[in-house]
Amino acid sequence: MKLIDFDGQFRQYMERWMADNRGKYKNAARMEEAIPEVYLRWLNAPADWLGGATPGGYFARYDDPLELVEGLRAYVDGKVSVPDGLMERIAELGEPAVAHLMAAAADEAADGGLRVTALNLLREIGTAAPMAMCLSIVEQMAPGDEVADVAVEALTDMGRAVVAPILERFEGAGIAAREAFLDILCNFPGDERIYTYAVQAFERGDNRALYASYLGKLGDDRAIEPLTRSLSLPELAYLDYIEIINAIE
């Protein structure tokens, strides 16, 4: 797949459009309001640099999910902005693209941007196939790990089915992974262990604001008592206070 800088082509188109239409608008804000419409026109206009194809329809010619995912890898490795049309086409293919996206997302030697994009496309497709992979990514996460952050979002999207496997891993996980797992679990009340883990994390005293927000999300009325009790702590920071009040409310 040839690497084509779609974003660069649109920037050139916009520069020409702005030069040609500057006098038609009262100010820059008015011009900015017109950009979505200009972008749609650009997407649907035949382009010489695409051999007469439209930017919006260019990737419809590709039916092989492996070729498309390898094209995605080539764009990332080549430091060329990934075209929206390429990602939309992969998502449109759906299930046939899942295995190839999972291979890209699991490739620890790959650029982090490729792994993040692959995980986000799996989220868009709406498959639970990468559950085990996402659990493993989160288990190994370090603070600031963007790939793991997207894996957390993917697991949350998968719904209550993730609760049991997360609880199986929770006590053996590291600090960062436990924090992330608890963030997911608090979306799915019902298991007593979730409340216990959340309260214990809050009462440890480190990062009270974060764990207060988790308790607020969990919505278990029993948390009102420990949350309220913590408001009298002399060392309570202002941000912690705000989050605790929000959780109680």
Side-chain angles (χ1 to χ4, degrees), residues 69-207:
V69 174
E70 286 304 305
L72 173 64
R73 185 187 294 271
Y75 267 97
V76 173
D77 289 346
K79 309 299 182 186
V80 180
S81 180
V82 179
D84 290 341
L86 172 57
M87 293 187 286
E88 289 167 3
R89 181 58 178 154
I90 293 172
E92 185 179 76
L93 289 178
E95 189 61 34
V98 166
H100 306 298
L101 288 169
M102 285 180 60
D107 185 357
E108 295 182 4
D111 184 287
L114 173 65
R115 300 182 71 196
V116 165
T117 301
L119 281 172
N120 277 322
L121 285 169
L122 288 164
R123 291 178 64 203
E124 188 172 345
I125 290 170
T127 176
M131 183 188 294
M133 177 184 66
C134 288
L135 288 166
S136 178
I137 290 172
V138 175
E139 279 186 300
Q140 300 170 47
M141 76 182 293
D145 185 342
E146 187 179 0
V147 176
D149 289 343
V150 179
V152 168
E153 294 170 358
L155 288 167
T156 305
D157 291 347
M158 293 175 198
R160 193 169 291 276
V162 303
V163 170
I166 289 177
L167 286 171
E168 289 174 5
R169 292 163 170 78
F170 190 84
E171 293 196 3
I175 294 172
R178 284 167 68 105
E179 181 180 293
F181 280 151
L182 196 53
D183 187 13
I184 300 167
L185 289 171
C186 284
N187 292 288
F188 308 108
D191 190 297
E192 183 67 19
R193 289 171 291 178
I194 300 173
Y195 172 75
T196 300
Y197 290 144
V199 168
Q200 288 175 346
F202 175 75
E203 291 186 329
R204 277 201 309 269
D206 56 320
N207 214 345

Side-chain angles (χ1 to χ4, degrees), residues 184-236:
I184 300 167
L185 289 171
C186 284
N187 292 288
F188 308 108
D191 190 297
E192 183 67 19
R193 289 171 291 178
I194 300 173
Y195 172 75
T196 300
Y197 290 144
V199 168
Q200 288 175 346
F202 175 75
E203 291 186 329
R204 277 201 309 269
D206 56 320
N207 214 345
R208 279 197 182 91
L210 178 68
Y211 292 118
S213 72
Y214 287 3
L215 286 168
K217 181 166 61 172
L218 185 60
D220 192 313
D221 290 348
R222 291 175 295 172
I224 292 175
E225 192 276 327
L227 287 165
T228 303
R229 189 172 64 247
S230 70
L231 291 173
S232 62
L233 294 170
E235 74 276 14
L236 193 66

